[in-house]
Amino acid sequence: MIVSLIRSIILYTLIIIAIRLMGKRQIGELQPGELAITILISNIAVLPIENIDVPLILGIIPIFTLVCFELALSSISLKSNNFRKLLSGKPVFVIEDGKINQKALSSLRFTLDDLTEGLRSCDVFDISQVAYAVVETNGTMSVLKKFSAQTVTAEMMKLEDEKTVVPMVVISDGKLVTENLQMVGLNNEWIFNRVKKENLDVKDIFLMTVDRDENVYLARKERI
């Protein structure tokens, strides 16, 4: 039992390292080659976990071999556009200039239900509002609405540009986050004085954020 547990922890750690080496992607964003490698790694890892008679090295070597293979393919893809298209395919326009590309739908084996579902995932419920829709190489859909259906932006309204200020978490669950304080140009003394104005201690605060303009959001801890 203990041996099986140790082997599981080792392989779990190994898979995490392998996935980190391949890059940060969610499952739904994996390219076909990356998805195939991920499935193979998971299947290989199961064998030494389920059967302790299988040497652990027989799981470790194939996993690292597949990761190295994937990294090699990724390097070639970065340098060769043709190889990248061969390996991952290319984006396909399923709606062009407001018209459904039926040929493209057929080649992707997309039904109208698949198309409308993809549009809804992009917060589009009226297909007449779409100027262009693209099925990306990872299977997700990107949509550009017609100008008349686009959300009004500050640029459209010719509003004066204002500097974007990002609030940082400076107190998390009763503890100071010093590195974030430095990022907004503040120090511990400022925080203690600001908290004191609320008749609180740092340990009494569940969340506190502040930006460079010293705008504060504060949430007290609740007794649970």
Side-chain angles (χ1 to χ4, degrees), residues 59-85:
I60 294 175
I61 291 177
I63 288 174
F64 268 115
T65 300
L66 288 171
V67 171
C68 291
F69 180 67
E70 165 58 25
L71 292 176
L73 291 179
S74 297
S75 298
I76 297 172
S77 295
L78 287 173
K79 298 177 181 179
S80 173
N81 189 43
N82 290 333
F83 183 79
R84 184 164 60 250
K85 288 181 180 179

mmCIF file with all atom_site columns, all heavy atoms in Angstrom, residues 59-85:
data_model
loop_
_atom_site.group_PDB
_atom_site.id
_atom_site.type_symbol
_atom_site.label_atom_id
_atom_site.label_alt_id
_atom_site.label_comp_id
_atom_site.label_asym_id
_atom_site.label_entity_id
_atom_site.label_seq_id
_atom_site.pdbx_PDB_ins_code
_atom_site.Cartn_x
_atom_site.Cartn_y
_atom_site.Cartn_z
_atom_site.occupancy
_atom_site.B_iso_or_equiv
_atom_site.pdbx_formal_charge
_atom_site.auth_seq_id
_atom_site.auth_comp_id
_atom_site.auth_asym_id
_atom_site.auth_atom_id
_atom_site.pdbx_PDB_model_num
ATOM 1   N N   . GLY A 1 59 ? 7.617  3.757  -16.589 1.00 0.00 ? 59 GLY A N   1
ATOM 2   C CA  . GLY A 1 59 ? 6.655  4.841  -16.735 1.00 0.00 ? 59 GLY A CA  1
ATOM 3   C C   . GLY A 1 59 ? 7.355  6.173  -16.923 1.00 0.00 ? 59 GLY A C   1
ATOM 4   O O   . GLY A 1 59 ? 6.917  7.018  -17.698 1.00 0.00 ? 59 GLY A O   1
ATOM 5   N N   . ILE A 1 60 ? 8.487  6.346  -16.235 1.00 0.00 ? 60 ILE A N   1
ATOM 6   C CA  . ILE A 1 60 ? 9.203  7.618  -16.278 1.00 0.00 ? 60 ILE A CA  1
ATOM 7   C C   . ILE A 1 60 ? 9.825  7.875  -17.650 1.00 0.00 ? 60 ILE A C   1
ATOM 8   O O   . ILE A 1 60 ? 9.677  8.968  -18.209 1.00 0.00 ? 60 ILE A O   1
ATOM 9   C CB  . ILE A 1 60 ? 10.291 7.651  -15.181 1.00 0.00 ? 60 ILE A CB  1
ATOM 10  C CG1 . ILE A 1 60 ? 9.629  7.631  -13.794 1.00 0.00 ? 60 ILE A CG1 1
ATOM 11  C CG2 . ILE A 1 60 ? 11.193 8.870  -15.341 1.00 0.00 ? 60 ILE A CG2 1
ATOM 12  C CD1 . ILE A 1 60 ? 10.614 7.537  -12.649 1.00 0.00 ? 60 ILE A CD1 1
ATOM 13  N N   . ILE A 1 61 ? 10.505 6.865  -18.205 1.00 0.00 ? 61 ILE A N   1
ATOM 14  C CA  . ILE A 1 61 ? 11.205 7.047  -19.485 1.00 0.00 ? 61 ILE A CA  1
ATOM 15  C C   . ILE A 1 61 ? 10.246 7.404  -20.628 1.00 0.00 ? 61 ILE A C   1
ATOM 16  O O   . ILE A 1 61 ? 10.480 8.372  -21.363 1.00 0.00 ? 61 ILE A O   1
ATOM 17  C CB  . ILE A 1 61 ? 12.040 5.795  -19.834 1.00 0.00 ? 61 ILE A CB  1
ATOM 18  C CG1 . ILE A 1 61 ? 13.213 5.678  -18.858 1.00 0.00 ? 61 ILE A CG1 1
ATOM 19  C CG2 . ILE A 1 61 ? 12.547 5.864  -21.269 1.00 0.00 ? 61 ILE A CG2 1
ATOM 20  C CD1 . ILE A 1 61 ? 14.061 4.441  -19.069 1.00 0.00 ? 61 ILE A CD1 1
ATOM 21  N N   . PRO A 1 62 ? 9.128  6.662  -20.817 1.00 0.00 ? 62 PRO A N   1
ATOM 22  C CA  . PRO A 1 62 ? 8.214  7.026  -21.909 1.00 0.00 ? 62 PRO A CA  1
ATOM 23  C C   . PRO A 1 62 ? 7.600  8.420  -21.745 1.00 0.00 ? 62 PRO A C   1
ATOM 24  O O   . PRO A 1 62 ? 7.415  9.138  -22.736 1.00 0.00 ? 62 PRO A O   1
ATOM 25  C CB  . PRO A 1 62 ? 7.123  5.949  -21.839 1.00 0.00 ? 62 PRO A CB  1
ATOM 26  C CG  . PRO A 1 62 ? 7.760  4.798  -21.166 1.00 0.00 ? 62 PRO A CG  1
ATOM 27  C CD  . PRO A 1 62 ? 8.703  5.404  -20.174 1.00 0.00 ? 62 PRO A CD  1
ATOM 28  N N   . ILE A 1 63 ? 7.321  8.814  -20.494 1.00 0.00 ? 63 ILE A N   1
ATOM 29  C CA  . ILE A 1 63 ? 6.727  10.130 -20.263 1.00 0.00 ? 63 ILE A CA  1
ATOM 30  C C   . ILE A 1 63 ? 7.695  11.235 -20.690 1.00 0.00 ? 63 ILE A C   1
ATOM 31  O O   . ILE A 1 63 ? 7.330  12.160 -21.424 1.00 0.00 ? 63 ILE A O   1
ATOM 32  C CB  . ILE A 1 63 ? 6.323  10.299 -18.783 1.00 0.00 ? 63 ILE A CB  1
ATOM 33  C CG1 . ILE A 1 63 ? 5.087  9.437  -18.479 1.00 0.00 ? 63 ILE A CG1 1
ATOM 34  C CG2 . ILE A 1 63 ? 6.021  11.764 -18.466 1.00 0.00 ? 63 ILE A CG2 1
ATOM 35  C CD1 . ILE A 1 63 ? 4.677  9.417  -17.024 1.00 0.00 ? 63 ILE A CD1 1
ATOM 36  N N   . PHE A 1 64 ? 8.942  11.132 -20.259 1.00 0.00 ? 64 PHE A N   1
ATOM 37  C CA  . PHE A 1 64 ? 9.921  12.141 -20.629 1.00 0.00 ? 64 PHE A CA  1
ATOM 38  C C   . PHE A 1 64 ? 10.238 12.100 -22.123 1.00 0.00 ? 64 PHE A C   1
ATOM 39  O O   . PHE A 1 64 ? 10.508 13.129 -22.747 1.00 0.00 ? 64 PHE A O   1
ATOM 40  C CB  . PHE A 1 64 ? 11.200 12.000 -19.807 1.00 0.00 ? 64 PHE A CB  1
ATOM 41  C CG  . PHE A 1 64 ? 11.193 12.833 -18.558 1.00 0.00 ? 64 PHE A CG  1
ATOM 42  C CD1 . PHE A 1 64 ? 11.203 12.241 -17.307 1.00 0.00 ? 64 PHE A CD1 1
ATOM 43  C CD2 . PHE A 1 64 ? 11.157 14.216 -18.640 1.00 0.00 ? 64 PHE A CD2 1
ATOM 44  C CE1 . PHE A 1 64 ? 11.185 13.014 -16.154 1.00 0.00 ? 64 PHE A CE1 1
ATOM 45  C CE2 . PHE A 1 64 ? 11.137 14.996 -17.492 1.00 0.00 ? 64 PHE A CE2 1
ATOM 46  C CZ  . PHE A 1 64 ? 11.149 14.400 -16.247 1.00 0.00 ? 64 PHE A CZ  1
ATOM 47  N N   . THR A 1 65 ? 10.173 10.910 -22.704 1.00 0.00 ? 65 THR A N   1
ATOM 48  C CA  . THR A 1 65 ? 10.394 10.787 -24.149 1.00 0.00 ? 65 THR A CA  1
ATOM 49  C C   . THR A 1 65 ? 9.311  11.531 -24.918 1.00 0.00 ? 65 THR A C   1
ATOM 50  O O   . THR A 1 65 ? 9.591  12.271 -25.876 1.00 0.00 ? 65 THR A O   1
ATOM 51  C CB  . THR A 1 65 ? 10.400 9.314  -24.570 1.00 0.00 ? 65 THR A CB  1
ATOM 52  O OG1 . THR A 1 65 ? 11.450 8.627  -23.877 1.00 0.00 ? 65 THR A OG1 1
ATOM 53  C CG2 . THR A 1 65 ? 10.631 9.180  -26.068 1.00 0.00 ? 65 THR A CG2 1
ATOM 54  N N   . LEU A 1 66 ? 8.056  11.358 -24.500 1.00 0.00 ? 66 LEU A N   1
ATOM 55  C CA  . LEU A 1 66 ? 6.945  12.041 -25.156 1.00 0.00 ? 66 LEU A CA  1
ATOM 56  C C   . LEU A 1 66 ? 7.028  13.556 -24.978 1.00 0.00 ? 66 LEU A C   1
ATOM 57  O O   . LEU A 1 66 ? 6.737  14.320 -25.910 1.00 0.00 ? 66 LEU A O   1
ATOM 58  C CB  . LEU A 1 66 ? 5.611  11.522 -24.605 1.00 0.00 ? 66 LEU A CB  1
ATOM 59  C CG  . LEU A 1 66 ? 5.215  10.102 -25.027 1.00 0.00 ? 66 LEU A CG  1
ATOM 60  C CD1 . LEU A 1 66 ? 3.991  9.638  -24.247 1.00 0.00 ? 66 LEU A CD1 1
ATOM 61  C CD2 . LEU A 1 66 ? 4.931  10.051 -26.526 1.00 0.00 ? 66 LEU A CD2 1
ATOM 62  N N   . VAL A 1 67 ? 7.430  13.992 -23.784 1.00 0.00 ? 67 VAL A N   1
ATOM 63  C CA  . VAL A 1 67 ? 7.565  15.425 -23.533 1.00 0.00 ? 67 VAL A CA  1
ATOM 64  C C   . VAL A 1 67 ? 8.650  16.023 -24.420 1.00 0.00 ? 67 VAL A C   1
ATOM 65  O O   . VAL A 1 67 ? 8.458  17.090 -25.026 1.00 0.00 ? 67 VAL A O   1
ATOM 66  C CB  . VAL A 1 67 ? 7.871  15.695 -22.044 1.00 0.00 ? 67 VAL A CB  1
ATOM 67  C CG1 . VAL A 1 67 ? 8.229  17.164 -21.832 1.00 0.00 ? 67 VAL A CG1 1
ATOM 68  C CG2 . VAL A 1 67 ? 6.667  15.334 -21.182 1.00 0.00 ? 67 VAL A CG2 1
ATOM 69  N N   . CYS A 1 68 ? 9.780  15.335 -24.512 1.00 0.00 ? 68 CYS A N   1
ATOM 70  C CA  . CYS A 1 68 ? 10.871 15.805 -25.372 1.00 0.00 ? 68 CYS A CA  1
ATOM 71  C C   . CYS A 1 68 ? 10.425 15.846 -26.835 1.00 0.00 ? 68 CYS A C   1
ATOM 72  O O   . CYS A 1 68 ? 10.762 16.783 -27.579 1.00 0.00 ? 68 CYS A O   1
ATOM 73  C CB  . CYS A 1 68 ? 12.091 14.900 -25.222 1.00 0.00 ? 68 CYS A CB  1
ATOM 74  S SG  . CYS A 1 68 ? 12.897 15.031 -23.615 1.00 0.00 ? 68 CYS A SG  1
ATOM 75  N N   . PHE A 1 69 ? 9.643  14.843 -27.235 1.00 0.00 ? 69 PHE A N   1
ATOM 76  C CA  . PHE A 1 69 ? 9.127  14.795 -28.604 1.00 0.00 ? 69 PHE A CA  1
ATOM 77  C C   . PHE A 1 69 ? 8.210  15.980 -28.869 1.00 0.00 ? 69 PHE A C   1
ATOM 78  O O   . PHE A 1 69 ? 8.296  16.634 -29.917 1.00 0.00 ? 69 PHE A O   1
ATOM 79  C CB  . PHE A 1 69 ? 8.376  13.478 -28.816 1.00 0.00 ? 69 PHE A CB  1
ATOM 80  C CG  . PHE A 1 69 ? 7.789  13.310 -30.182 1.00 0.00 ? 69 PHE A CG  1
ATOM 81  C CD1 . PHE A 1 69 ? 8.608  13.178 -31.299 1.00 0.00 ? 69 PHE A CD1 1
ATOM 82  C CD2 . PHE A 1 69 ? 6.414  13.278 -30.367 1.00 0.00 ? 69 PHE A CD2 1
ATOM 83  C CE1 . PHE A 1 69 ? 8.067  13.029 -32.569 1.00 0.00 ? 69 PHE A CE1 1
ATOM 84  C CE2 . PHE A 1 69 ? 5.865  13.127 -31.620 1.00 0.00 ? 69 PHE A CE2 1
ATOM 85  C CZ  . PHE A 1 69 ? 6.696  12.994 -32.725 1.00 0.00 ? 69 PHE A CZ  1
ATOM 86  N N   . GLU A 1 70 ? 7.342  16.282 -27.895 1.00 0.00 ? 70 GLU A N   1
ATOM 87  C CA  . GLU A 1 70 ? 6.422  17.413 -28.031 1.00 0.00 ? 70 GLU A CA  1
ATOM 88  C C   . GLU A 1 70 ? 7.189  18.733 -28.088 1.00 0.00 ? 70 GLU A C   1
ATOM 89  O O   . GLU A 1 70 ? 6.863  19.612 -28.888 1.00 0.00 ? 70 GLU A O   1
ATOM 90  C CB  . GLU A 1 70 ? 5.442  17.416 -26.852 1.00 0.00 ? 70 GLU A CB  1
ATOM 91  C CG  . GLU A 1 70 ? 4.662  18.705 -26.642 1.00 0.00 ? 70 GLU A CG  1
ATOM 92  C CD  . GLU A 1 70 ? 3.838  19.098 -27.851 1.00 0.00 ? 70 GLU A CD  1
ATOM 93  O OE1 . GLU A 1 70 ? 3.468  18.216 -28.661 1.00 0.00 ? 70 GLU A OE1 1
ATOM 94  O OE2 . GLU A 1 70 ? 3.566  20.309 -27.989 1.00 0.00 ? 70 GLU A OE2 1
ATOM 95  N N   . LEU A 1 71 ? 8.215  18.892 -27.256 1.00 0.00 ? 71 LEU A N   1
ATOM 96  C CA  . LEU A 1 71 ? 9.012  20.117 -27.260 1.00 0.00 ? 71 LEU A CA  1
ATOM 97  C C   . LEU A 1 71 ? 9.740  20.280 -28.591 1.00 0.00 ? 71 LEU A C   1
ATOM 98  O O   . LEU A 1 71 ? 9.877  21.400 -29.102 1.00 0.00 ? 71 LEU A O   1
ATOM 99  C CB  . LEU A 1 71 ? 10.008 20.098 -26.098 1.00 0.00 ? 71 LEU A CB  1
ATOM 100 C CG  . LEU A 1 71 ? 9.393  20.191 -24.693 1.00 0.00 ? 71 LEU A CG  1
ATOM 101 C CD1 . LEU A 1 71 ? 10.484 20.072 -23.635 1.00 0.00 ? 71 LEU A CD1 1
ATOM 102 C CD2 . LEU A 1 71 ? 8.635  21.497 -24.514 1.00 0.00 ? 71 LEU A CD2 1
ATOM 103 N N   . ALA A 1 72 ? 10.212 19.167 -29.146 1.00 0.00 ? 72 ALA A N   1
ATOM 104 C CA  . ALA A 1 72 ? 10.895 19.209 -30.447 1.00 0.00 ? 72 ALA A CA  1
ATOM 105 C C   . ALA A 1 72 ? 9.920  19.645 -31.540 1.00 0.00 ? 72 ALA A C   1
ATOM 106 O O   . ALA A 1 72 ? 10.248 20.489 -32.386 1.00 0.00 ? 72 ALA A O   1
ATOM 107 C CB  . ALA A 1 72 ? 11.493 17.846 -30.768 1.00 0.00 ? 72 ALA A CB  1
ATOM 108 N N   . LEU A 1 73 ? 8.713  19.063 -31.521 1.00 0.00 ? 73 LEU A N   1
ATOM 109 C CA  . LEU A 1 73 ? 7.703  19.448 -32.510 1.00 0.00 ? 73 LEU A CA  1
ATOM 110 C C   . LEU A 1 73 ? 7.325  20.921 -32.376 1.00 0.00 ? 73 LEU A C   1
ATOM 111 O O   . LEU A 1 73 ? 7.136  21.622 -33.376 1.00 0.00 ? 73 LEU A O   1
ATOM 112 C CB  . LEU A 1 73 ? 6.449  18.579 -32.348 1.00 0.00 ? 73 LEU A CB  1
ATOM 113 C CG  . LEU A 1 73 ? 6.564  17.103 -32.733 1.00 0.00 ? 73 LEU A CG  1
ATOM 114 C CD1 . LEU A 1 73 ? 5.238  16.399 -32.491 1.00 0.00 ? 73 LEU A CD1 1
ATOM 115 C CD2 . LEU A 1 73 ? 6.993  16.945 -34.190 1.00 0.00 ? 73 LEU A CD2 1
ATOM 116 N N   . SER A 1 74 ? 7.238  21.386 -31.133 1.00 0.00 ? 74 SER A N   1
ATOM 117 C CA  . SER A 1 74 ? 6.888  22.793 -30.903 1.00 0.00 ? 74 SER A CA  1
ATOM 118 C C   . SER A 1 74 ? 7.966  23.718 -31.450 1.00 0.00 ? 74 SER A C   1
ATOM 119 O O   . SER A 1 74 ? 7.671  24.766 -32.023 1.00 0.00 ? 74 SER A O   1
ATOM 120 C CB  . SER A 1 74 ? 6.692  23.048 -29.405 1.00 0.00 ? 74 SER A CB  1
ATOM 121 O OG  . SER A 1 74 ? 5.617  22.289 -28.902 1.00 0.00 ? 74 SER A OG  1
ATOM 122 N N   . SER A 1 75 ? 9.231  23.330 -31.272 1.00 0.00 ? 75 SER A N   1
ATOM 123 C CA  . SER A 1 75 ? 10.343 24.138 -31.776 1.00 0.00 ? 75 SER A CA  1
ATOM 124 C C   . SER A 1 75 ? 10.320 24.213 -33.298 1.00 0.00 ? 75 SER A C   1
ATOM 125 O O   . SER A 1 75 ? 10.527 25.283 -33.891 1.00 0.00 ? 75 SER A O   1
ATOM 126 C CB  . SER A 1 75 ? 11.679 23.550 -31.304 1.00 0.00 ? 75 SER A CB  1
ATOM 127 O OG  . SER A 1 75 ? 11.769 23.570 -29.899 1.00 0.00 ? 75 SER A OG  1
ATOM 128 N N   . ILE A 1 76 ? 10.037 23.063 -33.931 1.00 0.00 ? 76 ILE A N   1
ATOM 129 C CA  . ILE A 1 76 ? 9.957  23.044 -35.400 1.00 0.00 ? 76 ILE A CA  1
ATOM 130 C C   . ILE A 1 76 ? 8.774  23.896 -35.870 1.00 0.00 ? 76 ILE A C   1
ATOM 131 O O   . ILE A 1 76 ? 8.873  24.635 -36.858 1.00 0.00 ? 76 ILE A O   1
ATOM 132 C CB  . ILE A 1 76 ? 9.816  21.607 -35.920 1.00 0.00 ? 76 ILE A CB  1
ATOM 133 C CG1 . ILE A 1 76 ? 11.059 20.785 -35.561 1.00 0.00 ? 76 ILE A CG1 1
ATOM 134 C CG2 . ILE A 1 76 ? 9.613  21.588 -37.426 1.00 0.00 ? 76 ILE A CG2 1
ATOM 135 C CD1 . ILE A 1 76 ? 10.934 19.307 -35.864 1.00 0.00 ? 76 ILE A CD1 1
ATOM 136 N N   . SER A 1 77 ? 7.659  23.823 -35.132 1.00 0.00 ? 77 SER A N   1
ATOM 137 C CA  . SER A 1 77 ? 6.461  24.594 -35.505 1.00 0.00 ? 77 SER A CA  1
ATOM 138 C C   . SER A 1 77 ? 6.717  26.090 -35.448 1.00 0.00 ? 77 SER A C   1
ATOM 139 O O   . SER A 1 77 ? 6.184  26.857 -36.257 1.00 0.00 ? 77 SER A O   1
ATOM 140 C CB  . SER A 1 77 ? 5.300  24.234 -34.574 1.00 0.00 ? 77 SER A CB  1
ATOM 141 O OG  . SER A 1 77 ? 4.924  22.887 -34.732 1.00 0.00 ? 77 SER A OG  1
ATOM 142 N N   . LEU A 1 78 ? 7.537  26.512 -34.477 1.00 0.00 ? 78 LEU A N   1
ATOM 143 C CA  . LEU A 1 78 ? 7.843  27.933 -34.347 1.00 0.00 ? 78 LEU A CA  1
ATOM 144 C C   . LEU A 1 78 ? 8.614  28.451 -35.556 1.00 0.00 ? 78 LEU A C   1
ATOM 145 O O   . LEU A 1 78 ? 8.489  29.615 -35.941 1.00 0.00 ? 78 LEU A O   1
ATOM 146 C CB  . LEU A 1 78 ? 8.659  28.178 -33.066 1.00 0.00 ? 78 LEU A CB  1
ATOM 147 C CG  . LEU A 1 78 ? 7.893  28.075 -31.745 1.00 0.00 ? 78 LEU A CG  1
ATOM 148 C CD1 . LEU A 1 78 ? 8.862  28.164 -30.577 1.00 0.00 ? 78 LEU A CD1 1
ATOM 149 C CD2 . LEU A 1 78 ? 6.840  29.171 -31.636 1.00 0.00 ? 78 LEU A CD2 1
ATOM 150 N N   . LYS A 1 79 ? 9.405  27.574 -36.168 1.00 0.00 ? 79 LYS A N   1
ATOM 151 C CA  . LYS A 1 79 ? 10.274 27.993 -37.269 1.00 0.00 ? 79 LYS A CA  1
ATOM 152 C C   . LYS A 1 79 ? 9.672  27.717 -38.639 1.00 0.00 ? 79 LYS A C   1
ATOM 153 O O   . LYS A 1 79 ? 10.109 28.298 -39.634 1.00 0.00 ? 79 LYS A O   1
ATOM 154 C CB  . LYS A 1 79 ? 11.623 27.279 -37.149 1.00 0.00 ? 79 LYS A CB  1
ATOM 155 C CG  . LYS A 1 79 ? 12.378 27.624 -35.872 1.00 0.00 ? 79 LYS A CG  1
ATOM 156 C CD  . LYS A 1 79 ? 13.677 26.842 -35.764 1.00 0.00 ? 79 LYS A CD  1
ATOM 157 C CE  . LYS A 1 79 ? 14.407 27.172 -34.465 1.00 0.00 ? 79 LYS A CE  1
ATOM 158 N NZ  . LYS A 1 79 ? 15.675 26.402 -34.331 1.00 0.00 ? 79 LYS A NZ  1
ATOM 159 N N   . SER A 1 80 ? 8.695  26.820 -38.703 1.00 0.00 ? 80 SER A N   1
ATOM 160 C CA  . SER A 1 80 ? 8.130  26.445 -39.999 1.00 0.00 ? 80 SER A CA  1
ATOM 161 C C   . SER A 1 80 ? 6.616  26.609 -40.000 1.00 0.00 ? 80 SER A C   1
ATOM 162 O O   . SER A 1 80 ? 5.899  25.878 -39.301 1.00 0.00 ? 80 SER A O   1
ATOM 163 C CB  . SER A 1 80 ? 8.484  24.988 -40.327 1.00 0.00 ? 80 SER A CB  1
ATOM 164 O OG  . SER A 1 80 ? 7.810  24.564 -41.498 1.00 0.00 ? 80 SER A OG  1
ATOM 165 N N   . ASN A 1 81 ? 6.135  27.557 -40.799 1.00 0.00 ? 81 ASN A N   1
ATOM 166 C CA  . ASN A 1 81 ? 4.699  27.802 -40.896 1.00 0.00 ? 81 ASN A CA  1
ATOM 167 C C   . ASN A 1 81 ? 3.980  26.619 -41.534 1.00 0.00 ? 81 ASN A C   1
ATOM 168 O O   . ASN A 1 81 ? 2.880  26.240 -41.114 1.00 0.00 ? 81 ASN A O   1
ATOM 169 C CB  . ASN A 1 81 ? 4.442  29.075 -41.705 1.00 0.00 ? 81 ASN A CB  1
ATOM 170 C CG  . ASN A 1 81 ? 2.992  29.501 -41.658 1.00 0.00 ? 81 ASN A CG  1
ATOM 171 O OD1 . ASN A 1 81 ? 2.361  29.477 -40.614 1.00 0.00 ? 81 ASN A OD1 1
ATOM 172 N ND2 . ASN A 1 81 ? 2.460  29.889 -42.803 1.00 0.00 ? 81 ASN A ND2 1
ATOM 173 N N   . ASN A 1 82 ? 4.595  26.020 -42.552 1.00 0.00 ? 82 ASN A N   1
ATOM 174 C CA  . ASN A 1 82 ? 3.983  24.874 -43.229 1.00 0.00 ? 82 ASN A CA  1
ATOM 175 C C   . ASN A 1 82 ? 3.850  23.685 -42.295 1.00 0.00 ? 82 ASN A C   1
ATOM 176 O O   . ASN A 1 82 ? 2.837  22.981 -42.291 1.00 0.00 ? 82 ASN A O   1
ATOM 177 C CB  . ASN A 1 82 ? 4.804  24.486 -44.462 1.00 0.00 ? 82 ASN A CB  1
ATOM 178 C CG  . ASN A 1 82 ? 4.707  25.517 -45.570 1.00 0.00 ? 82 ASN A CG  1
ATOM 179 O OD1 . ASN A 1 82 ? 3.714  26.231 -45.673 1.00 0.00 ? 82 ASN A OD1 1
ATOM 180 N ND2 . ASN A 1 82 ? 5.740  25.619 -46.384 1.00 0.00 ? 82 ASN A ND2 1
ATOM 181 N N   . PHE A 1 83 ? 4.893  23.446 -41.489 1.00 0.00 ? 83 PHE A N   1
ATOM 182 C CA  . PHE A 1 83 ? 4.834  22.333 -40.535 1.00 0.00 ? 83 PHE A CA  1
ATOM 183 C C   . PHE A 1 83 ? 3.770  22.587 -39.475 1.00 0.00 ? 83 PHE A C   1
ATOM 184 O O   . PHE A 1 83 ? 3.059  21.673 -39.063 1.00 0.00 ? 83 PHE A O   1
ATOM 185 C CB  . PHE A 1 83 ? 6.202  22.147 -39.867 1.00 0.00 ? 83 PHE A CB  1
ATOM 186 C CG  . PHE A 1 83 ? 6.259  20.973 -38.931 1.00 0.00 ? 83 PHE A CG  1
ATOM 187 C CD1 . PHE A 1 83 ? 6.396  19.678 -39.422 1.00 0.00 ? 83 PHE A CD1 1
ATOM 188 C CD2 . PHE A 1 83 ? 6.151  21.149 -37.561 1.00 0.00 ? 83 PHE A CD2 1
ATOM 189 C CE1 . PHE A 1 83 ? 6.436  18.592 -38.556 1.00 0.00 ? 83 PHE A CE1 1
ATOM 190 C CE2 . PHE A 1 83 ? 6.186  20.076 -36.689 1.00 0.00 ? 83 PHE A CE2 1
ATOM 191 C CZ  . PHE A 1 83 ? 6.335  18.788 -37.198 1.00 0.00 ? 83 PHE A CZ  1
ATOM 192 N N   . ARG A 1 84 ? 3.639  23.853 -39.055 1.00 0.00 ? 84 ARG A N   1
ATOM 193 C CA  . ARG A 1 84 ? 2.637  24.205 -38.057 1.00 0.00 ? 84 ARG A CA  1
ATOM 194 C C   . ARG A 1 84 ? 1.229  23.956 -38.589 1.00 0.00 ? 84 ARG A C   1
ATOM 195 O O   . ARG A 1 84 ? 0.359  23.445 -37.875 1.00 0.00 ? 84 ARG A O   1
ATOM 196 C CB  . ARG A 1 84 ? 2.816  25.674 -37.661 1.00 0.00 ? 84 ARG A CB  1
ATOM 197 C CG  . ARG A 1 84 ? 1.876  26.133 -36.557 1.00 0.00 ? 84 ARG A CG  1
ATOM 198 C CD  . ARG A 1 84 ? 2.324  27.428 -35.917 1.00 0.00 ? 84 ARG A CD  1
ATOM 199 N NE  . ARG A 1 84 ? 2.408  28.523 -36.869 1.00 0.00 ? 84 ARG A NE  1
ATOM 200 C CZ  . ARG A 1 84 ? 3.537  29.068 -37.283 1.00 0.00 ? 84 ARG A CZ  1
ATOM 201 N NH1 . ARG A 1 84 ? 4.693  28.620 -36.854 1.00 0.00 ? 84 ARG A NH1 1
ATOM 202 N NH2 . ARG A 1 84 ? 3.523  30.078 -38.150 1.00 0.00 ? 84 ARG A NH2 1
ATOM 203 N N   . LYS A 1 85 ? 1.009  24.303 -39.852 1.00 0.00 ? 85 LYS A N   1
ATOM 204 C CA  . LYS A 1 85 ? -0.302 24.053 -40.460 1.00 0.00 ? 85 LYS A CA  1
ATOM 205 C C   . LYS A 1 85 ? -0.569 22.555 -40.577 1.00 0.00 ? 85 LYS A C   1
ATOM 206 O O   . LYS A 1 85 ? -1.694 22.101 -40.371 1.00 0.00 ? 85 LYS A O   1
ATOM 207 C CB  . LYS A 1 85 ? -0.367 24.702 -41.844 1.00 0.00 ? 85 LYS A CB  1
ATOM 208 C CG  . LYS A 1 85 ? -0.449 26.217 -41.818 1.00 0.00 ? 85 LYS A CG  1
ATOM 209 C CD  . LYS A 1 85 ? -0.524 26.779 -43.233 1.00 0.00 ? 85 LYS A CD  1
ATOM 210 C CE  . LYS A 1 85 ? -0.614 28.292 -43.222 1.00 0.00 ? 85 LYS A CE  1
ATOM 211 N NZ  . LYS A 1 85 ? -0.658 28.857 -44.594 1.00 0.00 ? 85 LYS A NZ  1
#
